[in-house]
Amino acid sequence: TGNHWGYGKEDGPTLWHRNYPVAEGSRQSPIDIIPLQAVHDHSLGPIILSYDHCTSINIANNGHSVVVEFDDSDDRSVIRGGPLDNPYRLKQFHFHWGGKGCHGSEHTVEGMSYASELHLVHWNAVKYKNFGEAATAPDGLAVLGIFLEAGDDHRWLHVITDALYMVKYKGSLTDFKGFNPKCLLPSSLQYWTYLGSLTTPPLHESVTWIILKESITVSEKQLGKFRMLLFTGEEEDQRMRMENNFRPPQPLKGRKVRSSN
Ligand SMILES: CCCSc1c(F)c(F)c(S(=O)(=O)NC)c(F)c1F
Ligand SMILES: [Zn+2]
């Protein structure tokens, strides 16, 4: 019904173009990154993350992913530098992941996908008056993408995975204060960057993507907790496990991927 979309056979990524024609646009995401074809751009400075006084508010299951929202009423937590001309405010972060043992990242590197991908979503509050306006502007959003690789337990991810049982059902939400996503960063902030889009409907072509080259390691046990979430609400009788909530790579259509040195 209406603009309903999902990741299944009947409503998945290959069908999104019916309600969202921009799905076949010229700057869609994710993409397959080929490091040797990325252009080393020495004018690209380091990205700077100022999350020290960030204010997480809640954690929610929106029926597509699990999302941690932040107070974005001032420039407390911003990303700046790199390809960005302005500071962009942290609005939320969420994840995309696979099913048991299979892959789940959105971006791939030379055809290789990771177990999961974390997206930290920021918006240009210098040029736009609210997130909604920024989300439809070509330079409105900046998403920092971090690959999650299966391996040892991640020391801090348990703070999130321990809260997932409270947001099992679509539409559930609970307090989640004082979480600083800086603890989820790898040691190096070396990155690839390119111009793309949201990877979920409405697929707005408004994202400057910054993908970290170094992944973080999380355990299969921690990944398994994401898979106990449900796409469906408590009132629905058909329970559908939340997994494989990733869009496959889209055509590059002549875009250049740049690499920080
Ligand atoms: C207007 C959407 C509300 S914020 C949001 C989001 F919820 C989301 F899921 C993605 S994503 O496309 O899935 N990952 C990059 C975004 F980019 C976002 F900006
Ligand atoms: Zn995402």
Side-chain angles (χ1 to χ4, degrees):
T1 51
N3 286 348
H4 170 83
W5 60 272
Y7 292 95
K9 252 198 334 293
E10 321 280 310
D11 60 5
T14 57
L15 302 173
W16 291 349
H17 67 92
R18 292 179 180 166
N19 284 327
Y20 305 94
V22 73
E24 299 175 333
S26 59
R27 59 173 277 189
Q28 288 291 293
S29 294
I31 59 167
D32 180 43
I33 297 167
I34 302 170
L36 290 177
Q37 290 177 8
V39 179
H40 266 274
D41 183 337
H42 299 288
S43 74
L44 276 177
I47 55 163
I48 300 156
L49 297 170
S50 315
Y51 288 164
D52 295 339
H53 304 287
C54 75
T55 324
S56 64
I57 301 171
N58 60 46
I59 187 167
N61 175 336
N62 64 10
H64 308 297
S65 180
V66 58
V67 187
V68 173
E69 294 271 3
F70 287 80
D71 170 1
D72 60 350
S73 57
D74 67 22
D75 274 351
R76 212 169 324 195
S77 16
V78 297
I79 184 172
R80 58 164 63 92
L84 305 172
D85 295 339
N86 299 125
Y88 284 61
R89 269 185 209 169
L90 177 63
K91 162 90 181 145
Q92 56 105 300
F93 69 75
H94 61 271
F95 299 81
H96 302 263
W97 60 90
K100 212 163 55 61
C102 93
H103 297 302
S105 65
E106 299 211 297
H107 290 87
T108 55
V109 182
E110 286 184 305
M112 192 196 86
S113 50
Y114 290 84
S116 171
E117 189 170 326
L118 162 60
H119 289 157
L120 293 128
V121 180
H122 310 73
W123 61 282
N124 187 338
V126 168
K127 282 185 70 174
Y128 306 104
K129 60 180 187 300
N130 56 50
F131 177 85
E133 198 188 291
T136 58
D139 60 350
L141 302 182
V143 181
L144 181 64
I146 302 173
F147 292 122
L148 278 65
E149 198 162 349
D152 296 335
D153 236 48
H154 188 284
R155 169 178 174 62
W156 300 109
L157 191 70
H158 71 82
V159 175
I160 292 173
T161 54
D162 288 352
L164 297 180
Y165 78 95
M166 295 165 72
V167 289
K168 185 182 175 71
Y169 298 103
K170 172 180 177 180
S172 50
L173 172 141
T174 190
D175 270 4
F176 197 71
K177 301 249 185 323
F179 183 81
N180 185 334
K182 215 158 184 149
C183 68
L184 298 177
L185 298 174
S187 49
S188 163
L189 292 184
Q190 290 301 322
Y191 61 89
W192 293 292
T193 183
Y194 77 98
L195 297 180
S197 73
L198 305 191
T199 61
T200 55
L203 299 170
H204 295 316
E205 297 188 326
S206 57
V207 180
T208 298
W209 276 95
I210 298 168
I211 309 279
L212 296 188
K213 295 183 181 180
E214 187 182 330
S215 60
I216 60 170
T217 302
V218 305
S219 65
E220 271 303 337
K221 192 160 163 284
Q222 290 175 313
L223 284 165
K225 292 191 175 174
F226 283 92
R227 299 187 195 110
M228 48 71 81
L229 295 167
L230 297 179
F231 279 126
T232 43
E234 193 164 4
E235 72 294 338
E236 295 180 61
D237 47 15
Q238 205 201 10
R239 298 185 154 215
M240 294 168 62
R241 252 197 320 279
M242 188 179 275
E243 56 186 27
N244 297 307
N245 56 349
F246 62 91
R247 187 189 194 190
Q250 300 302 308
L252 198 52
K253 297 203 175 170
R255 285 174 285 178
K256 281 267 165 291
V257 177
R258 291 187 290 163
S259 168
S260 65
N261 24 9

